[in-house]
Amino acid sequence: MIQELSISVGAEDEKNSGYISKRLYDELKKTVFPLPPKNEVSFVFVKRSVDARHGRVKIFLRYKAYIGEKPGSSLGKVPEWKKADGKKTVIIIGSGPAGLFAALKLLEHGIKPVIVERGSSTSKRKRDIAGISTQGNVSEDSNYCFGEGGAGTFSDGKLYTRSNKRGDIDFVLQLFVHFGADEKILTDAHPHIGTDKLPGIINRICELINEKGGSVLFDTKCIQLITRQDGDKKTVRGIKAQNTVTGQVHELTGDKVILATGHSAYDIYTMIAKEAPQALEAKTFAVGVRVEHPREAIDLMQYHDKKAAERLGAAEYRITTQQDGRGVYSFCMCPGGFVVPSASAPDEIVVNGMSAARRNSAWSNAAIVVETKPEDIPAEFEDEAKSKYNCPALAGLLWRKHLEQLTAKNGDGQKAPAQRLMDFLEGSKSKDLPKSSYTPGLVSSNLNEWLPPQISTRLKKAFREIDGKMKGYIHPDALMIASETRTSTPVRILRDKDTLECPQLANLYPAGEGSGYSGGIVSSAMDGINIAEKICNS
């Protein structure tokens, strides 16, 4: 017999195994009769979450009680990946979680995946990323957004998702553990891997794909779809790919093509617009800033106890509010983390956040972003999208690019424009800036003067409301760093809800964040798995 139990304990009791066992046995008394002897019961830890609201920290622990039987393993059975026989080939554009997990699913059926990745392997990519911080050099193909593993490789590796109807979350987490992630991700309420751990995990996934007869082609950029006209629609037969080092162009053909390029590949959207502009539609996205606090300030706000962070780790927070008909919310909160430069072109500034596995830096940061709907985009960008690409759906993408370039004009190279939160609310430029985790450096700038009013006005209202709920959020050293623009894509590539194939481009399967159907590592991985299953069963 297996019984699930939940208890709450204080931070001081979480490591007290005797106390927890007694609490669990007392809880068992309420649901099981007759009560079995203690030596016939085994408690297995399932999930942990922390509630720091209402001035007292509570830790919620969930266990399974195995009564009269042996506990099962927390790890599920690893799939059997077959050697690809080459009878069927699927081209996958992009090596992010959607692409990699699609490849793993294809290999379960012996289908050969060929992954085309415009960026470099993690070893070279690390050097390119270092060059952004030290020299301000941004490679358009190898950066925080592009390269082995996609944008997630050098991110916090957050694995929390609410998309439990899209697939088996536990299966995805177990695969990460199989490839080297800490087993704690199976039990934490908000699991994360850490930017220091993710590259090795991604390396091992790519190694397995190669060992099983697939291939991962780095520094290889998709520049064109190879299509044929079939009646009123086109059929994709393959792609033209260019080596970003040598410039050599070659063709790759396959039975199907999975498009898993992430939300930062502008040229992919314009490529689709050239082939079938009706395959794109505008969607809601969000833009704003990164807000960075001294970590101890956030810890105190959330835990109300200076010593609690020593036991519980850096504190998280989540914010959501409505301002003038648009949502304003936190995104990708990085406790004990860093703000990083995530531009994918040298003429733009984009910021993001990440944390190492231990989350032990002196700062905590989060994106605070404003919901932006297609109707919020100025008409001039829709006109440009129509005249350049015959595709008004690209208006939001062009506006986002404009904002990223405007941010760069108010910065200096990759030194980002920044302002103390207090000064932003008062409308004055900061005379000086506090220390920051953002290594390229900062430039003092009055964000009120150039951020779009639809963003800055709502941010001001939201910050005052947030401070009412999290006393001290408007902290003297709270810092706004611009601009956070890549929370999701402004464009969706249409696909059939049953087949997951693009109706206007047969054999093309849009996947992951870049296609507008997921948001994060786990949901993107599940999306890739779902598409691969459709292909395997077709």
Side-chain angles (χ1 to χ4, degrees), residues 13 17 23 50 55 58 82 86-87 136 156 169 205 234 260 281 284 368 394 433 471 498 519:
D13 294 320
S17 58
R23 286 284 309 278
V50 178
K58 289 184 179 180
K82 301 175 182 178
K87 293 179 181 178
D156 194 36
I169 295 172
I205 294 174
K234 295 179 178 180
E281 71 174 6
T284 297
I368 306 297
L394 293 179
L433 298 173
K471 297 295 184 183
D498 295 319

Side-chain angles (χ1 to χ4, degrees), residues 45-86:
F45 179 53
V46 175
K47 190 74 73 175
R48 172 187 185 272
S49 60
V50 178
D51 184 353
R53 296 172 297 175
H54 312 303
R56 176 171 169 78
V57 176
K58 289 184 179 180
I59 299 172
F60 291 89
L61 305 174
R62 194 162 83 238
Y63 284 78
K64 283 184 179 179
Y66 288 81
I67 304 167
E69 61 180 274
K70 188 177 179 180
S73 170
S74 60
L75 288 176
K77 186 178 179 181
V78 173
E80 180 183 347
W81 293 293
K82 301 175 182 178
K83 188 79 172 181
D85 56 22

Side-chain angles (χ1 to χ4, degrees), residues 138-398:
V138 179
S139 164
E140 294 192 29
D141 295 308
S142 181
N143 45 57
Y144 274 100
C145 298
F146 303 140
E148 184 176 6
T153 302
F154 294 98
S155 73
D156 194 36
K158 292 180 181 65
L159 303 177
Y160 177 66
T161 180
R162 295 185 181 89
S163 303
N164 54 7
K165 293 182 179 179
R166 298 189 181 202
D168 189 340
I169 295 172
D170 288 340
F171 174 71
V172 172
L173 298 182
Q174 286 169 359
L175 280 184
F176 274 117
V177 170
H178 172 75
F179 287 105
D182 194 305
E183 283 193 32
K184 287 199 306 183
I185 69 171
L186 302 175
T187 56
D188 283 349
H190 291 171
H192 78 110
I193 295 176
T195 188
D196 49 336
K197 306 291 186 182
L198 264 170
I201 293 168
I202 298 301
N203 294 160
R204 287 185 280 275
I205 294 174
C206 290
E207 287 167 4
L208 182 134
I209 292 168
N210 285 318
E211 287 171 6
K212 295 297 181 180
S215 60
V216 184
L217 307 176
F218 297 119
D219 303 312
T220 304
K221 182 178 182 178
C222 173
I223 58 173
Q224 185 181 332
L225 296 176
I226 301 172
T227 63
R228 68 168 183 265
Q229 193 70 40
D230 288 332
D232 60 349
K233 69 177 181 180
K234 295 179 178 180
T235 298
V236 178
R237 299 186 300 107
I239 67 169
K240 285 187 179 180
Q242 183 177 43
N243 185 294
T244 58
V245 178
T246 66
Q248 183 178 0
V249 176
H250 59 282
E251 293 188 359
L252 293 169
T253 57
D255 297 277
K256 307 287 184 182
V257 176
I258 297 176
L259 188 65
T261 50
H263 54 45
S264 294
Y266 287 87
D267 53 330
I268 292 297
Y269 298 114
T270 57
M271 179 187 75
I272 296 293
K274 182 179 178 181
E275 294 288 346
Q278 68 275 26
L280 301 175
E281 71 174 6
K283 63 178 280 292
T284 297
F285 60 112
V287 298
V289 296
R290 273 273 150 186
V291 177
E292 183 175 64
H293 286 79
R295 175 188 155 183
E296 61 182 15
I298 296 297
D299 291 348
L300 187 59
M301 273 180 247
Q302 294 299 84
Y303 295 145
H304 315 286
D305 177 1
K306 288 185 178 181
K307 293 183 178 180
E310 297 175 8
R311 299 188 295 266
L312 300 173
E316 300 180 55
Y317 68 82
R318 181 173 175 267
I319 292 162
T320 181
T321 180
Q322 285 282 321
Q323 302 296 335
D324 300 332
R326 295 290 181 266
V328 182
Y329 55 92
S330 59
F331 177 84
C332 184
M333 197 270 149
C334 298
F338 305 88
V339 181
V340 296
S342 291
S344 49
D347 64 344
E348 64 193 27
I349 288 179
V350 179
V351 293
N352 197 359
M354 70 174 192
S355 299
R358 294 178 63 191
R359 290 181 164 176
N360 59 350
S361 89
W363 298 272
S364 291
N365 69 77
I368 306 297
V369 292
V370 178
E371 179 185 25
T372 302
K373 296 186 176 184
E375 57 264 35
D376 299 331
I377 306 302
E380 64 191 270
F381 295 97
E382 184 172 342
D383 294 340
E384 182 183 353
K386 287 178 181 177
S387 62
K388 275 189 177 181
Y389 306 107
N390 189 32
C391 184
L394 293 179
L397 192 74
L398 297 177

